[in-house]
Amino acid sequence: MVTRVRIAVGLVRLGWVALLIAAALSITIIVSSMVVQFASAALSGEAFTDWRTYVNAVERLQVGTSIYAQGQLAGPYTLPDMALVGYAYPPASVPLFLPFTSYPGGLVAWLLLNVGLLVTGLYAVLRQELGQARLTDLALVLLLLALIRPFWSGLALGNVNVGLAGVLAWCWVIGRGRGSIALVAALGATVKSIPGVLVFWSTPRTFPRVAIGTAVTGVLLFLVSLPFVGLQSWFDYGLALSNAQPSCHEDTFIPSAACLLQPVFGVGVAKLSGIVFAVVLGGFALVSRSSIVAFALVTFALLAPVTDFHPHYLLMLYVLIVVAGVSWIGGRRRSDATTVSP
């Protein structure tokens, strides 16, 4: 008995050591990689480009000018060319960035919010699937997170996808078809359109309730934000969205469906195909009997409409891998416990 207690205490201590090492390595990797990126971007002014783009949109809203750049409204353009001067998200999202516009306080709060959503979401997945997440499990997940380019690239740019990956993890924890998924889908669509496909994280029985809840919440958010952003901004958003073209250059990391189909079918059909793929994948997720298969389909539905795949989008796949991995491990542990208990 004494030996077992000592072994248990030793494992706990080993877990803490592993977690501290993982945290130290994570911080070192993040800081060093960000320093390198910031140093290379110093001359071109590209550090925290996406966060600064959000801030500039808030500033244009405050002075009464169009949220979207004239280049977006005049004709075809690519989103990378509109960094800092344009905007890619729905107008209702702009007031949500107001608390994060100051420097350095707002920037720090923005990064903490996004990293907090991702880390807590991953930890919640571990707790739910493994019963009681061991420190070594969390250490491994955080270490792998720090080692992958999508994470530190998203941080260095200040991109919202870091937080949205955390929201995806929390959707697994919340559960398929739960009422709060409607709120998550509506808020996500308000911030960045494509998270609206989270409405398909449902079952055929719960989908009508989730869809109605998402629509009602979305309309309320639209009405609340309308006095701040104005109706014209929504017309500008529709025009900017229709004029956007995939850039399909090397920095997009991997080719999107739009980039693959554009040479054959043209820009309009290629962009529409991403939306069609998202709806089809969402439909299959809806009727799938397996929760993990449905979650995988919803994850790919999130990525299907993306026209330019920058590295930080792949954080969604990391969340999917963690969910699938710990679900399998948790299932094996429960199966072993059931076999041993008699």
Side-chain angles (χ1 to χ4, degrees), residues 21 23 25 29 42 50 70-71 77 108-110 147 169 218 225 271 316:
I21 292 175
L25 287 174
I29 292 169
D50 293 337
Q70 288 304 310
Y77 70 95
V108 171
W110 175 249
L147 288 173
S225 65
K271 288 166 56 179
M316 312 295 176

Side-chain angles (χ1 to χ4, degrees), residues 276-300:
V276 172
F277 290 155
V279 174
V280 171
L281 290 169
F284 281 119
L286 196 64
V287 298
S288 174
R289 294 184 178 182
S290 168
S291 291
I292 190 62
V293 170
F295 189 75
L297 290 169
V298 168
T299 302
F300 286 113

Side-chain angles (χ1 to χ4, degrees), residues 177-187 189 196 198-221 286:
R178 294 296 180 90
S180 51
I181 292 297
L183 176 61
V184 174
L187 282 172
L198 291 172
V199 71
F200 292 110
W201 181 231
S202 308
T203 63
R205 182 178 62 83
T206 60
F207 179 72
R209 173 167 52 87
V210 173
I212 293 172
T214 301
V216 171
T217 305
V219 170
L220 288 176
L221 291 171
L286 196 64

